[in-house]
DNA sequence: CTGAAAGCGCTTACAG
DNA sequence: CTGAAAGCGCTTACAG
């Protein structure tokens, strides 16, 4: 570690000791008065507060953190924040956490399992109070006592997680395609190494196809953000006669729209598309995607609540489900 | 502050004192050996390292932070991370910072000047080592010694910032519209309260219109993310005969496309559109926008470098310009 | 309700 | 090159 300029540490050099002296009390009393923990006579508190104000006292959070063994920081590990779904998650988690006095540290794992492990370690050394961990991989070597929670994809050792009603919502989506008269329905859904709620999306599709005696045209590619177009091109190479498509994410759906155009297919006339997530609408993209919209604000609220339970050692449900709903856009009839 | 479970603090209860004892040296020596600062005999270092490994020693970062008066954390204040431009900035800043051993705390100000101030204070109390502050507002009460840097919009008191060549790039964009034969060229560009580089975007437009003796159809609305459609509807209410439009952001450009469709205009036949930022391409949106693409990875690199200069008290340029370039898409002829 | 004291786990002059 | 000691700024039992 190099020497660093202590620009704003310098200006805050008035300590609780100074406040105590100014107020004519002991540091312990000053501390109790300032933090509000422990009984203090109102008059004393008033004196201390006045002294603190007069001196412009700013408590040294670093000392507090050290003493209290807490940082009031939570980290979120995601593949990348430059993805609308994760950006939305991060946005709402940050809001929730801020209300509770916590800061959110964002870490992009770039969907790399090695980096995830490395980051998990770095973050633990930094002693954040909790972690929201969103991964596509298996991590069964993580201490199950750690205050970790997840969204959608549940990490190995059974950490609590928040998810949407993937199966039911996906079923509704695919059913709507059937009802619209679509004959050749396909599905593209990212594969995940972990047992993830997202698998229920294609399972709903598969079940429904079987129930209706339709062929199952399912592609479950392992891909990273940015490769959606290639994935969809591959799908259409396999099943060019598809007339309706259900995808595991809006990004895939959007790519499907583009590939359809490349192939001269009209949407929704020749090809209907339904995505999942419901995060592109805020970006004024075209066409308005028909999609299964997850309630990200509620999910963020729930995941933060779950994390707080773990941090404070309270009982927490292993799983919270937030309903998602099909939203009609311009890519279906 | 409530009691918190100390789940992973507990497991890391082996301190440097234990390591020193195990290695048969003083704590000071152990510290020097472990951190690599200060001379230590190779043999001693080996002993200490072995002891640390044997005991599974994990240095307590909180104690270090406290002692060193540094957190190895940088905060970024942005209107919202749920916006492609800011998300991209955050993504690349985080990557750069991570390489340097820093973590990035993300704070959404929601474009609220009051919240920005509040957050600035909270963040300072948390004693982050530096701040990347992106705002639309004036904050002239900030201590100029603080390690703050900015992107595009330079905050009040003359903090260093990174920007693109707004004027030249915008000029090129508008010029290309003129050259394409467009007759009625308009411009919509978000207003900002601060002296911001973004103003050069519409200034380039205005200058060019004047040079060519064209009318200036400029709208500079004050709006927040999510209101782009209303903004564009208002513009077209004022200038329905527009046949080419330059906007200050991709989000506005995208909204322009939608409003054009509402009005039955074909793009690019009836209306050409050029945006700014170049961040939507990664999202597979349609149509591929013609836009002035900023080099966000380079900008992030530069802004982090600028910040490190400030943190380490080194000389830093007041301003770094990263070239942006017009990228042809499907919304121009 | 209050003060004096101990201690959190490190790093860093300071002598040797 | 090394050890003993001081100290970073708080909080929290512990006696009063």
């Amino acid at each position: 570690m190099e020497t660093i300029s202590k620009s704003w540490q310098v200006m805050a050099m008035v300590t609780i000791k100074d406040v105590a002296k100014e107020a004519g009390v002991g540091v312990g009393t000053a501390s109790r008065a300032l933090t509000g923990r422990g009984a203090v006579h109102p008059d004393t508190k008033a004196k201390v507060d006045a002294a603190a104000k007069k001196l412009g006292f700013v408590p040294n959070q670093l000392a507090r953190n050290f003493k209290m063994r807490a940082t009031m920081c939570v980290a979120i590990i995601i593949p990348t924040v430059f993805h609308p779904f994760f950006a939305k998650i991060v946005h709402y988690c940050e809001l929730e956490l801020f209300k509770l006095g916590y800061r959110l540290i964002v870490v992009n794992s770039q969907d790399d399992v090695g980096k995830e492990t490395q980051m998990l370690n770095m973050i633990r050394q930094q002693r954040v109070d909790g972690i929201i961990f969103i991964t596509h991989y298996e991590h069964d070597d993580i201490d199950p006592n750690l205050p970790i929670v997840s969204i959608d994809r549940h990490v190995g050792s059974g950490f609590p997680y928040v998810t949407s009603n993937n199966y039911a919502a996906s079923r509704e989506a695919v059913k709507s395609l059937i009802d619209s008269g679509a004959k050749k329905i396909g599905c593209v859904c990212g594969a995940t190494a972990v047992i993830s709620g997202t698998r229920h999306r294609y399972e709903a599709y598969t079940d429904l196809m079987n129930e209706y005696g339709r062929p199952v045209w399912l592609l479950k590619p392992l891909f990273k953000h940015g490769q959606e177009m290639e994935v969809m091109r591959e799908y259409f190479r396999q099943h060019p006669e598809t007339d309706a498509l259900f995808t595991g994410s809006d990004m895939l759906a959007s790519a499907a729209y583009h590939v359809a155009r490349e192939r001269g297919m009209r949407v929704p006339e020749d090809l209907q598309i339904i995505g999942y997530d419901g995060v592109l609408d805020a970006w004024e993209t075209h066409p308005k995607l028909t999609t299964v919209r997850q309630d990200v604000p509620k999910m963020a609220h729930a995941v933060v609540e779950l994390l707080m339970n773990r941090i404070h050692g309270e009982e927490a449900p292993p799983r919270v489900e937030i309903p998602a709903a099909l939203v009609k856009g311009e890519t279906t009839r």
Side-chain angles (χ1 to χ4, degrees), chain A:
Chain A
M1 221 177 278
E2 312 91 308
T3 48
I4 66 153
S5 87
K6 306 191 173 151
S7 26
W8 69 41
Q9 280 79 357
V10 161
M11 48 178 284
M13 260 329 185
V14 29
T15 75
I16 199 170
K17 214 166 154 184
D18 302 317
V19 175
K21 191 178 293 175
E22 175 73 25
V25 301
V27 286
T29 305
S31 171
R32 284 184 291 261
L34 259 11
T35 59
R37 21 173 72 204
V40 180
H41 191 94
D43 295 352
T44 313
K45 177 163 170 49
K47 270 197 303 184
V48 173
D49 286 345
K53 190 166 181 187
K54 179 179 170 195
L55 267 39
F57 172 66
V58 178
N60 183 335
Q61 194 66 36
L62 263 42
R64 259 182 100 105
N65 288 346
F66 170 47
K67 184 69 192 169
M68 308 286 287
R69 298 174 142 65
T71 53
M72 297 306 280
C73 279
V74 164
I76 185 165
I77 305 179
I78 48 178
T80 166
V81 74
F82 187 41
H83 182 295
F85 183 62
F86 299 126
K88 196 168 184 180
I89 295 269
V90 169
H91 174 95
Y92 285 101
C93 283
E94 195 275 326
L95 257 39
E96 292 290 332
L97 287 164
F98 195 88
K99 281 190 228 160
L100 301 173
Y102 284 83
R103 302 299 151 266
L104 182 62
I105 294 175
V106 171
V107 186
N108 300 295
S109 68
Q110 312 216 74
D111 229 340
D112 180 318
V113 64
K115 280 198 183 155
E116 283 179 354
T117 305
Q118 178 197 358
M119 284 156 170
L120 217 46
N121 287 328
M122 303 214 67
I123 275 169
R124 286 180 44 195
Q125 276 189 238
Q126 289 251 321
R127 296 276 204 294
V128 297
D129 298 342
I131 297 177
I132 300 169
F133 188 23
I134 305 184
T135 175
H136 297 145
Y137 301 97
E138 198 69 58
H139 287 268
D140 35 35
D141 49 333
I142 308 177
D143 182 338
N145 295 315
L146 260 30
I148 297 179
V149 297
S150 189
I151 290 182
D152 250 359
R153 4 236 145 180
H154 29 123
V155 207
S157 326
F159 296 103
Y161 66 97
V162 173
T163 187
S164 64
N165 53 342
N166 287 287
Y167 189 84
S170 300
R171 219 183 139 88
E172 182 192 354
V174 177
K175 186 64 166 54
S176 79
L177 291 174
I178 294 175
D179 293 346
S180 78
K183 297 298 174 208
K184 295 161 178 174
I185 307 178
C187 178
V188 179
C189 215
T192 56
V194 295
I195 296 160
S196 158
T198 58
R199 66 184 289 170
H200 298 312
R201 299 182 191 169
Y202 61 77
E203 285 175 357
Y205 161 80
T206 307
D207 289 355
L208 221 32
M209 290 302 103
N210 289 334
E211 289 168 28
Y212 279 76
R214 306 273 185 98
V216 172
W217 288 352
L218 173 62
L219 189 64
K220 291 189 299 177
L222 205 52
F223 69 98
K224 295 187 185 192
H225 177 43
Q227 303 176 318
E228 287 85 358
M229 289 292 282
E230 299 161 42
V231 166
M232 292 313 309
R233 288 201 188 94
E234 173 56 27
Y235 172 84
F236 278 103
R237 216 169 289 135
Q238 293 180 20
H239 304 293
E241 65 276 48
T242 303
D243 67 0
L245 194 60
F246 174 57
T247 66
S249 77
D250 289 347
M251 302 305 282
L252 280 171
S254 193
Y257 175 78
H258 272 71
V259 173
R261 286 185 83 232
E262 287 177 359
R263 299 184 146 256
M265 301 167 88
R266 291 165 306 163
V267 176
E269 293 81 356
D270 306 325
L271 176 72
Q272 299 189 75
I273 304 173
I274 299 184
Y276 205 105
D277 284 344
V279 291
L280 288 183
D281 49 349
W283 319 77
E284 314 292 6
T285 56
H286 171 73
K288 289 217 178 307
L289 215 54
T290 298
T291 188
V292 177
R293 180 182 294 150
Q294 306 205 61
D295 192 337
V296 174
K298 270 205 186 115
M299 292 175 86
H301 182 85
V303 83
V304 166
E305 193 166 39
L306 235 37
L307 185 59
M308 289 302 133
N309 287 339
R310 296 232 13 149
I311 289 177
H312 300 125
E314 297 155 12
E315 220 34 63
R319 177 179 190 282
V320 173
E321 191 174 290
I322 307 288
L326 184 63
V327 178
K328 180 86 178 71
E330 304 166 341
T331 57
T332 49
R333 287 195 297 265

